[in-house]
Amino acid sequence: MPVAGPGHPNTAILTAMDLIVFDLDGTLLNKSSKITAYTQETLRRLTAEGIAYTVATGRALHGAIDILDGHGFLLPQIYKNGVMIWNPDLDSYSTSHLLTLDEIGHVAEAFLEKDVTPFFFTLEPGNRHAVYHPPVRQKAEYKLIRSFEKERNLPVLPIADLPADADITNISAIGPDIAINAVAEMVETEEHLVAYMGVAIEDRRLNWIDIHHHSGSKGGAVTLVKEELGFKRVICFGDSDNDLSMFQTADEAYAPENAKEHIKSAATSVIGHHDADGIARFLRERFAL
């Protein structure tokens, strides 16, 4: 029987051997980035049955905390694709993999050389998060700023305002596919960096990219949480490239119908669409809830 591990004094004793791990966007959340009433009820039923669950997302804590509040997410939570693990019991991070000054410099130079604006995500004293950037260059970058502010609940500020004591957790950007691909190729030569990327606006040939320390992965973070809390098995749900590392370490991995084709191919099975409560419906059947 898994129990609260060291550093988790208030975590309730759990009766299940499985740990369920949800990606958020495109998986547990609907197209409006909400947890539906049906999924909320499913989470309540999981809790009532003593079945443990948590989240592993590319979002920062401040971009998910309001969404998760009140829905039983009491165990350590994985943010920024595994770069950070948040411990709700202690109201602090238990693990973080931060970028070094050299790594930050190399990535920034690569972006600026390709005329793409880098966005620097920070962890600051008091567990404050923010995003900083040099002058914006493209219309799509302005849209990205609005999404950080409105959807992720993050302040977005000029790079000149970056505090001296801020740590950089990851660097993101949006830009022409040729430029983004060139930056991704540069990252491949950096021993301690990893990049996730994808199509942002297909008809305009714009891609997005997110770069962070290679030690921060969903798979590594899920394994750490599993071992620390004493679970035997992991069942995970995800829809994109940043979920592949936890697919590889999980005992069961499920992709919603809307997932990318190569993600579906890597999954144990493909289940219902994220905008039709596909994960919740699967769980009700899987655990007879």
Side-chain angles (χ1 to χ4, degrees):
M1 175 184 300
V3 297
H8 304 280
N10 298 321
T11 306
I13 294 177
L14 305 168
T15 59
M17 302 302 285
D18 294 333
L19 173 64
I20 297 173
V21 183
F22 301 114
D23 170 51
L24 289 181
D25 297 283
T27 304
L28 189 68
L29 307 183
N30 65 9
K31 64 182 179 182
S32 300
S33 296
K34 303 293 184 184
I35 298 178
T36 67
Y38 185 89
T39 296
Q40 290 175 27
E41 174 59 26
T42 303
L43 294 174
R44 285 193 288 270
R45 295 185 185 188
L46 287 173
T47 299
E49 293 297 321
I51 300 170
Y53 57 88
T54 190
V55 61
T57 176
R59 292 184 178 228
L61 173 66
H62 285 33
I65 192 168
D66 290 341
I67 294 171
L68 302 180
D69 186 44
H71 301 309
F73 286 88
L74 304 177
L75 294 178
Q77 300 158 12
I78 298 162
Y79 291 103
K80 300 308 304 178
N81 295 320
V83 170
M84 317 185 81
I85 299 177
W86 174 254
N87 184 340
D89 287 339
L90 300 179
D91 197 33
S92 66
Y93 291 103
S94 58
T95 301
S96 58
H97 301 285
L98 305 169
L99 296 176
T100 67
L101 289 176
D102 282 345
E103 290 163 352
I104 295 165
H106 293 164
V107 172
E109 288 173 8
F111 277 126
L112 296 175
E113 181 181 326
K114 299 300 178 182
D115 204 32
V116 173
T117 302
F119 291 85
F120 301 89
F121 288 72
T122 63
L123 173 61
E124 302 170 23
N127 290 325
R128 180 181 185 269
H129 293 268
V131 183
Y132 298 85
H133 63 88
V136 216
R137 301 157 183 261
Q138 308 291 337
K139 183 178 179 180
E141 295 170 346
Y142 285 101
K143 293 180 68 175
L144 191 61
I145 288 174
R146 290 195 292 273
S147 74
F148 291 152
E149 292 174 329
K150 294 181 179 180
E151 298 175 20
R152 304 300 172 97
N153 195 27
L154 287 167
V156 182
L157 304 164
I159 194 69
D161 294 342
L162 178 67
D165 56 356
D167 288 312
I168 306 298
T169 61
N170 60 294
I171 304 172
S172 296
I174 186 171
D177 53 4
I178 294 176
I180 295 299
N181 289 338
V183 174
E185 289 176 4
M186 181 282 296
V187 169
E188 289 181 359
T189 68
E190 294 280 340
E191 182 181 1
H192 299 297
L193 295 179
V194 64
Y196 296 110
M197 58 185 294
V199 176
I201 306 175
E202 189 166 6
D203 59 352
R204 292 181 56 195
R205 300 180 66 88
L206 290 176
N207 285 1
W208 61 266
I209 189 169
D210 186 63
I211 299 168
H212 57 77
H213 196 281
H214 79 98
S215 295
S217 70
K218 287 190 179 185
V222 167
T223 299
L224 183 62
V225 171
K226 170 190 172 185
E227 292 174 351
E228 183 175 332
L229 298 185
F231 291 100
K232 300 300 182 185
R233 304 176 72 256
V234 169
I235 301 172
C236 72
F237 299 85
D239 72 310
S240 196
D241 290 357
N242 58 351
D243 298 308
L244 284 174
S245 62
M246 69 173 179
F247 273 32
Q248 293 165 358
T249 61
D251 297 277
E252 299 175 35
Y254 296 96
E257 181 185 337
N258 53 282
K260 298 178 179 180
E261 289 303 319
H262 65 283
I263 307 300
K264 293 179 184 179
S265 298
T268 304
S269 184
V270 177
I271 57 178
H273 198 284
H274 83 111
D275 200 36
D277 294 304
I279 283 73
R281 295 182 188 281
F282 170 84
L283 288 170
R284 291 200 188 192
E285 181 176 351
R286 174 72 166 73
F287 291 100
L289 299 175

